[in-house]
Amino acid sequence: MVNKIFLWFFALGILWAVPGTVAGQEGGSGEDWAFDTAIYLWGASIGGESVTGDNIDIDFNDLLDNMEFAFMTTVAAHRDKWSLLADLIYLDVKDDEQGSLTVPLGASFVVGTDSEVALKSWIVTPLISYNVFETKRSTVNILGGAR
């Protein structure tokens, strides 16, 4: 499973590894749009509390073992002092467990159990930025967006 995930990241990385400048000129006149993209990996865990008050703690290794697919990328378009950006994250995690439960009703008997937990999630963060100040050593941008 882990090999499949890294193979996907490798293949997509090869396809998008060359961030391009479309119709840009050397030195940049600021009138043409320039496009950039980056694929990245962010490791995290999931934690919280269930509605019954039980603690939920899923570490990164468990997520990686049960991952069906994950994709993270940032895409940007720049022109003059304006930038349009989008950060996209997709996560598909699934796990299932089979077991048994002994029920003590007079004579005890065993009941089979089967459970499946699945999480599919998109996180989309569109942004717009305006460059208000720039020198050779620093840049100040006003940035706004949503998630």
Side-chain angles (χ1 to χ4, degrees):
M1 177 61 70
V2 173
N3 291 336
K4 182 171 88 172
I5 295 165
F6 288 114
L7 183 61
W8 272 103
F9 270 107
F10 180 75
L12 291 171
I14 294 296
L15 291 174
W16 289 0
V18 182
T21 300
V22 177
Q25 298 174 352
E26 186 90 15
S29 66
E31 294 182 18
D32 296 324
W33 285 95
F35 298 89
D36 300 307
T37 187
I39 296 174
Y40 63 92
L41 174 65
W42 181 263
S45 61
I46 297 174
E49 187 175 304
S50 71
V51 294
T52 60
D54 294 327
N55 286 329
I56 298 170
D57 185 20
I58 305 170
D59 65 20
F60 178 69
N61 289 331
D62 288 336
L63 285 173
L64 197 57
D65 289 342
N66 296 297
M67 191 170 301
E68 297 289 317
F69 186 74
F71 181 72
M72 300 172 190
T73 187
T74 300
V75 180
H78 312 281
R79 182 177 178 186
D80 197 26
K81 292 182 174 259
W82 289 97
S83 295
L84 302 172
L85 302 100
D87 187 56
L88 307 167
I89 300 173
Y90 176 74
L91 178 64
D92 183 0
V93 180
K94 182 169 45 172
D95 192 16
D96 57 1
E97 289 288 326
Q98 295 179 348
S100 60
L101 177 66
T102 302
V103 180
L105 290 175
S108 296
F109 62 95
V110 177
V111 176
T113 62
D114 188 10
S115 65
E116 179 178 289
V117 177
L119 170 69
K120 289 185 182 182
S121 175
W122 276 100
I123 300 173
V124 180
T125 308
L127 304 161
I128 188 167
S129 172
Y130 184 77
N131 179 271
V132 293
F133 178 77
E134 184 172 4
T135 68
K136 290 183 180 182
R137 300 186 77 187
S138 62
T139 301
V140 176
N141 293 317
I142 296 174
L143 179 72
R147 176 173 274 184

